[in-house]
Structures are given as C-alpha cells and as structure tokens.
Amino acid sequence: MNVLLTGSSGWLGRHLAPLLQADGHRVVGLDVAPGAYTEILGGVDDRALVGRVMRQHRIDAVVHAAALHQPNIEHHSRQRFIDVNVSGTLALLEEAVAANVDRFVFTSTTSLMISAAIRAGQGEAAAWIDETLTPLAPRNIYGATKLAAERLCRLIHDDHGLPIVVLRTSRFFPEEDDQAHRISEAGENSKAIELLHRRLTVEDAADAHRIALAKAPELGFGLFVISAPTPFVRADAPALKRDAAAVIARLFPDASELFTRRGWTFPESIDRVYDAALAERLLGFRGKTDFAALLDALRHQRPLPFVHDPSYISPQWTG
C-alpha cells in the first residue's frame, strides 16, 4: 500500500516508517520538519497540500501521528493546537474519504483520560484506566484537542464507513517526565517505574500502529489504550495507592535489590494504572517490553530497554 505517514520526522514516525517499509508498504512522509523518512514538508492543517498528496501519491492508507503535544503548550497558542490537532485531523479524514483511502490509523493519547482529580491523586485507590473510563475531562488544550479529533474519527467512520483505529498511547517519548521528582531526580528511574503502569517503548508503540494498519478493515472502528502490559490487577488498586513498594516487592522479589544497585528507588504511591488488555484481545497487540524485561536487563547488565534523553526536542517545537 501507499501509506501517508504524518509526523514522519517525529520520535514515533522515525521508528514506524521502517516497520511499514519492511511490511512492503511505500511510505510517504509528511512533516513540518525534515527527516530521513519525510518526503513532503508541510502541515496537516494545509488542506490543499493534504488533498494534493492524497491524489498525486495515490494514497491507500493514512497513519496520522502528527500533532502538537503536551510539551508544546508553552510554545503555541490554544488556537494553534486547534488548527493542528483538530482542523488538521479533519482535513486528513475528509480528504481521505474523497480519495477513497482504504484505512486510517490515528495516534491519540492516554493524557486525555487524565482529569485534574486523577492527576492530583485524589481517592483511596489508584485509578484504573481503560477504554470504559468516564467521564472524560481533559485537563489542558492538548487533551481537549485530541479528544475532539477522536470524535471526528468516529463521526467520519459513522458517516462514510472509513475503517479507523484510534490508539491512545501512553508515554513513550524520551524527554524528562514532568513528574519524575516524585520518584527520583534520575529520569531513568521514573521511566523504569512507569513501565509498570503508564509507559511503553517507542518500538512497541510503532508496532501497535503497524498492527492497527493491518487490522483496520476487519475492525471497522476501534479505540484502544496502548501501554506496556501491567502486572497489576484491579484488586491491587487500593494497595498501590497506599504502599506501592510493597505491591512491587510482592510481585518482583528481587526488584528492590536491582534498583538499589542502580541507585534507584520505588515510589511510595502509584496513582493510576493503564490497562491495555482490550488491545491484546481485539487488536492482537501486546507490548514486548514490560517491567519484567527491564528487571531482566538489570540482572544481566544489559542496556536499558528504553531511551532517556532529557535534551530531546520534538520537531514540532520549531514547526
């Protein structure tokens, strides 16, 4: 297939493009910044450009990974978020319908599921985050625009029958986490802990998109939380909030020793758990890298299975 990949110069795009090529697809990369897999420079909110690309390159499928992200909030206005994340998504969807595109995959975010109350850690148990969570109350313009874009995806599917899969991905970017101080000043420590409940590797995120592209016609419409497999179950939620270290020690008896060797610590409390079980059942995706894989790397002194780069800057910052 000829696949239009938006955000092709971004962290996800640069990992996803070679996977799609390995599957035999021709990747047409669109991004505001140049990159190894970017063929066309431009924004998704340029409807004329989007329509021209669809026609000239005979696009069969779209993977829409371009967006302004949460770190961009301090650099761009709310209107710019609406232009890129909402109007840009609508332009792609409508031009895809006009070009008789066969399928559409949209990169969304678990961030839109985190209300101010969840972020503040309110309640006596960790919030269990899956596709049934309601009401959705995004706490910032990023979440609000991604939720609006999701609803446009549903509307276009219902009106035109375009097969669409929406992937609410958890954290996979390499930059410093905004709550790393709760665990340690070391960002690697934060990322390691988050593999338990709110992170996946960029390689697994890319693989989820590859699978979604293949499964979209069969699913018709699908919306999935995409995160590393959690070892926790719902019954653990109160204990995770009260004494997360004890729960981790029960499930992984040698984790404390392995963390201590690295100078890492466990969190006192975990306030949310992302459950990707639906994606495993219906999409056929299960992340290859989980907390157990991290511990195995520590035991055998292998490289960590994720990237931590505090200096990373998204191409969209300069777009």
Side-chain angles (χ1 to χ4, degrees), residues 49-199:
L49 173 64
V50 168
R52 188 163 61 250
V53 170
M54 295 275 190
R55 296 187 300 272
Q56 291 181 353
H57 293 271
R58 298 182 179 181
I59 297 301
D60 301 301
V62 176
V63 179
H64 178 26
L68 286 180
H69 295 279
Q70 188 163 312
N72 302 127
I73 289 175
E74 62 184 87
H75 299 275
H76 294 282
S77 67
R78 288 180 174 178
Q79 184 60 57
R80 187 62 185 147
F81 268 82
I82 292 170
D83 293 342
V84 174
N85 293 358
V86 183
S87 298
T89 301
L90 179 61
L92 283 161
L93 288 165
E94 292 186 336
E95 294 298 332
V97 170
N100 294 312
V101 164
D102 184 60
R103 61 196 75 183
F104 195 106
V105 177
F106 175 59
T107 310
S108 190
T109 174
T110 51
S111 180
L112 66 83
M113 307 173 77
I114 307 305
S115 65
I118 292 175
R119 183 178 173 84
Q122 296 179 9
E124 297 182 354
W128 199 263
I129 311 294
D130 66 11
E131 296 79 0
T132 66
L133 180 72
T134 57
L136 296 177
R139 68 187 186 277
N140 56 35
I141 189 63
Y142 171 55
T145 54
K146 294 298 273 189
L147 181 56
E150 282 189 7
R151 288 174 173 166
L152 288 173
C153 286
R154 182 78 228 197
L155 179 66
I156 293 298
H157 168 74
D158 289 346
D159 286 352
H160 300 282
L162 175 63
I164 301 176
V165 177
V166 175
L167 302 180
R168 288 180 179 169
T169 59
S170 64
R171 295 178 170 191
F172 59 82
F173 285 91
E175 65 262 32
E176 191 68 76
D177 296 329
D178 58 4
Q179 292 179 299
H181 65 277
R182 293 190 179 185
I183 299 170
S184 168
E185 293 302 317
E188 289 178 345
N189 190 173
S190 177
K191 288 180 170 60
I193 289 295
E194 286 179 343
L195 278 175
L196 283 163
H197 66 113
R198 61 179 297 186
R199 176 170 288 278

Side-chain angles (χ1 to χ4, degrees), residues 185-265:
E185 293 302 317
E188 289 178 345
N189 190 173
S190 177
K191 288 180 170 60
I193 289 295
E194 286 179 343
L195 278 175
L196 283 163
H197 66 113
R198 61 179 297 186
R199 176 170 288 278
L200 78 164
T201 64
V202 67
E203 292 84 3
D204 281 343
D207 192 46
H209 284 73
R210 179 188 66 82
I211 294 170
L213 188 68
K215 294 274 286 190
E218 174 186 335
L219 292 170
F221 185 88
L223 187 152
F224 303 99
V225 169
I226 301 295
S227 196
T230 181
F232 306 134
V233 296
R234 283 181 184 266
D236 292 324
L240 286 170
K241 191 65 177 296
R242 185 173 58 251
D243 188 355
V247 181
I248 298 169
R250 170 172 56 84
L251 295 172
F252 303 98
D254 66 339
S256 180
E257 180 183 353
L258 293 170
F259 268 47
T260 299
R261 289 179 192 172
R262 190 116 187 163
W264 292 351
T265 60

